[in-house]
């Protein structure tokens, strides 16, 4: 069995440097015997990038994203980020995707939140996610 912890994005938002704070959380998690550390997405930092740095700095820890919202991201861009992260941490990265939330998709990104699963799967004006993987 593998045991990990998800770090809420607000834990990084209150620090002077989100990356340094994430690395310190990673070191503490590994020292406590945890196997993995997962990062959530906010506007203050890129969760794939943060997970990658932590994975490089704390090589005994698996890292991942507890959800990268996909409405405003192109599948090929996220796929290339994930491949880079995977290479940087030598196979210890897991990408978690999320459909986002209407509160952000519509007013912030201008993307209709109607039927998010259908939009993610087969278009409706945005690229399909499934053929990329």
């Amino acid at each position: 069995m593998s045991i990990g912890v998800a770090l809420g994005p607000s834990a990084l938002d209150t620090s002077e440097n989100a990356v340094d704070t994430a690395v310190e959380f990673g070191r503490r998690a590994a020292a406590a015997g945890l196997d993995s550390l997962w990062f959530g997405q906010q506007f203050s930092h890129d969760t794939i990038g943060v997970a990658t740095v932590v994975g490089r700095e704390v090589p005994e820890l698996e890292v991942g994203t507890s959800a990268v919202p996909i409405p405003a991201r192109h599948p090929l861009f996220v796929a290339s980020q994930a491949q880079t992260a995977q290479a940087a941490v030598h196979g210890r990265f897991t990408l978690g995707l999320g459909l986002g939330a209407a509160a952000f998709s519509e007013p912030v990104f201008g993307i209709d939140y109607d039927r998010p699963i259908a939009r993610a799967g087969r278009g409706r004006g945005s690229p399909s996610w499934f053929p990329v993987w």
Side-chain angles (χ1 to χ4, degrees), residues 12-75:
L12 301 180
D13 290 343
T14 59
S15 67
E16 279 189 38
N17 184 309
V19 175
D20 290 342
T21 301
V23 169
E24 182 57 31
F25 275 119
R27 289 185 177 129
R28 289 181 186 178
L34 294 173
D35 300 305
S36 62
L37 186 57
W38 300 79
F39 298 92
Q41 180 69 56
Q42 284 270 298
F43 296 117
S44 62
H45 60 274
D46 175 62
T47 192
I48 296 173
V50 169
T52 302
V53 172
V54 172
R56 288 289 287 197
E57 294 290 320
V58 189
E60 61 273 25
L61 200 61
E62 302 271 334
V63 294
T65 61
S66 58
V68 171
I70 62 173
R73 296 178 179 226
H74 193 283

Side-chain angles (χ1 to χ4, degrees), residues 115 117-129:
R115 302 182 62 215
I117 294 173
R119 183 174 30 78
R122 288 290 170 229
R124 288 197 36 173
S126 64
S128 174
W129 278 83

Side-chain angles (χ1 to χ4, degrees), residues 56-123:
R56 288 289 287 197
E57 294 290 320
V58 189
E60 61 273 25
L61 200 61
E62 302 271 334
V63 294
T65 61
S66 58
V68 171
I70 62 173
R73 296 178 179 226
H74 193 283
L76 294 176
F77 177 68
V78 175
S80 68
Q81 283 184 297
Q83 288 174 336
T84 301
Q86 191 69 290
V89 301
H90 303 281
R92 295 177 291 108
F93 175 77
T94 301
L95 176 66
L97 300 174
L99 297 172
F104 291 109
S105 293
E106 293 174 354
V108 176
F109 301 122
I111 298 171
D112 184 21
Y113 196 72
D114 180 47
R115 302 182 62 215
I117 294 173
R119 183 174 30 78
R122 288 290 170 229

